[in-house]
Structures are given as C-alpha cells and as structure tokens.
Amino acid sequence: MNPTLAIEPSVFYFGTPVALLTTLTPGDDTANITPISSAWALDDTYVLGLSNLGRAMCNLRENADLVINLPDSRLWESIEKIAATTGVADVPPGKREKYRYEPDKWALGGFTPQPSAVVLPPRIAECPVQMEARVTNMTPLNEEGDATIVHAKVLRTHVHRALAVPGTSHIDVDAWTPIYYTFRHYFSQGERVGVNFRAEQ
Ligand SMILES: Cc1cc2nc3c(=O)[nH]c(=O)nc-3n(C[C@H](O)[C@H](O)[C@H](O)COP(=O)(O)O)c2cc1C
C-alpha cells in the first residue's frame, strides 16, 4: 500500500477542462466572457459552479441564455490575457487587489464573436467546441452565498470541422485537445492510456 499524508488543500483543482462562458450583459452590445473550470456534463445538462461576485452570474439571473465554449490548449495565452479581469464595472472589494474591470474581453483576448443559432450570446469563433445552452436551475453552493451551482441544458452543439468525424456526430478524439486547469496551471492532454468498453471509435 502507498503511504499517504492527510493534507488541507485550499482549493481542489485537481484538473478539469476550461470553459469560456459567453453571457449577455444587460444594456451592453457585446457579451461578456467568463473563464471557468468548474464545469461537467451529464446527459444534455452542464453543471457549472459560478461565483456570485462575477458578471456571468449577474447576467444569467437576467437572461438564461449562454454559450459554453471549450477552448483547446493553443488558446491558453488568450485565456490568460482576460484572466485578471471582470465584466463587473464596480469591482467587488474582495477582487480589487487582483482584478480590474474590462468591458471588452473580446478585444483583450483576441476573440471573435460568431452569431449563435438558438441563443442570444455569440459563440467564440476560436473555440473548437461551442455549446449553446439555457439555464434550467440554480442552487446556492453554500449558506455563505459565495457561489451558485447552475444547471444548463445544451440546445445546440457546434464544432470546428476538423474535430468532426465525417458523416457522424462523433468527435475525432485524436484531433481534440482540451485544456485542463490543474491547480491554476494549464495543461494539454497527454497520451491515450486506454479505451472504455463503450467507446464508439
Ligand atoms: C482557468 C480559469 C478557471 C476559472 N474557474 C472558475 C470557476 O469555475 N468559477 C468561477 O466562478 N470563476 C472561475 N474563474 C475565475 C473567473 O474567471 C473570474 O472571477 C472572472 O473575474 C469572472 O469574470 P466575470 O466577472 O466577467 O464573469 C476561473 C478563472 C480562470 C482563469
């Protein structure tokens, strides 16, 4: 048996893919972009963990439409360019030391808006996977009111052609390189070590 050590990590970011949410800011022409990594899917529903201090959460309370854009590992520097910003004009006191207000994260990160088909916020053209979605449920994460668990149903999925297996709705797993956020470091995907018995290719 491997010897173990009891530790008290301040965060539990053992590694989840990064997503860039686009949401509509009321009264604004452009949508806001929010990098997150607390995101996973079950069936057609995504579960997102969002801070209540951020623009994304404010926006989703006003308009339930969003796009869950999945960047690949080549986009890490663009993500990092917008990382220390918020779309909240009056930056909350707890964030002021490390974050500043940025009304146009598209220009700052070098991202290009692409119209969505069934929701209002645009997709991010540079992201190889773009899922148009709508919020179906919101639950407080804890009694302190720090964050919200958001359920979003995926309504339409777009992928760059290079990722699609021709004639199917399958993703070419050799072409797709998600970007993982592991203790605030960006990682690309390593080599394949195995295949599940239900894999379709
Ligand atoms: C890679 C990455 C992952 C992040 N994951 C989350 C997350 O899962 N949930 C969250 O609320 N904030 C997360 N953040 C922090 C937000 O992006 C940050 O608070 C930002 O200011 C939110 O932007 P907004 O206020 O314009 O929505 C993450 C940041 C980065 C760079």
Side-chain angles (χ1 to χ4, degrees):
M1 211 182 290
N2 282 330
T4 58
L5 192 63
I7 62 169
E8 294 179 358
S10 58
V11 292
F12 295 91
Y13 303 156
F14 283 92
T16 41
V18 177
L20 298 176
L21 306 184
T22 43
T23 57
L24 277 193
T25 301
D28 222 350
D29 290 345
T30 57
N32 188 57
I33 304 177
T34 304
I36 67 162
S37 62
S38 302
W40 53 270
L42 188 63
D43 291 335
D44 62 358
T45 296
Y46 250 87
V47 181
L48 314 169
L50 290 179
S51 163
N52 287 333
L53 297 179
R55 184 80 254 168
M57 207 50 238
C58 306
N59 287 358
L60 290 174
R61 290 191 198 285
E62 298 291 321
N63 187 305
D65 285 7
L66 71 156
V67 182
I68 303 163
N69 302 273
L70 300 186
D72 65 14
S73 52
R74 289 168 298 192
L75 287 170
W76 83 266
E77 283 169 302
S78 303
I79 299 165
E80 201 47 28
K81 278 181 189 157
I82 65 167
T85 68
T86 173
V88 176
D90 185 12
V91 182
K95 285 182 84 165
R96 272 179 209 159
E97 207 181 306
K98 295 200 167 116
Y99 290 83
R100 65 178 175 78
Y101 170 55
E102 174 54 61
D104 189 356
K105 297 192 197 178
W106 297 86
L108 184 63
F111 296 115
T112 314
Q114 184 173 8
S116 291
V118 294
V119 300
L120 293 168
R123 301 177 272 151
I124 299 176
E126 288 76 11
C127 288
V129 180
Q130 309 145 354
M131 290 167 285
E132 299 185 37
R134 190 161 289 137
V135 173
T136 53
N137 192 34
M138 290 183 181
T139 316
L141 175 69
N142 53 26
E143 285 179 3
E144 290 77 32
D146 296 337
T148 301
I149 300 169
V150 173
H151 296 187
K153 184 178 164 69
V154 176
L155 305 173
R156 185 71 59 90
T157 303
H158 311 261
V159 297
H160 286 182
R161 277 177 189 271
L163 290 192
V165 177
T168 74
S169 276
H170 294 166
I171 301 294
D172 178 349
V173 294
D174 291 311
W176 170 225
T177 57
I179 177 165
Y180 294 98
Y181 199 45
T182 303
F183 292 105
R184 299 201 169 101
H185 296 249
Y186 298 102
F187 280 86
S188 184
Q189 183 157 276
E191 70 196 59
R192 178 180 8 220
V193 293
V195 183
N196 176 252
F197 72 102
R198 293 182 62 185
E200 291 174 329
Q201 0 155 357

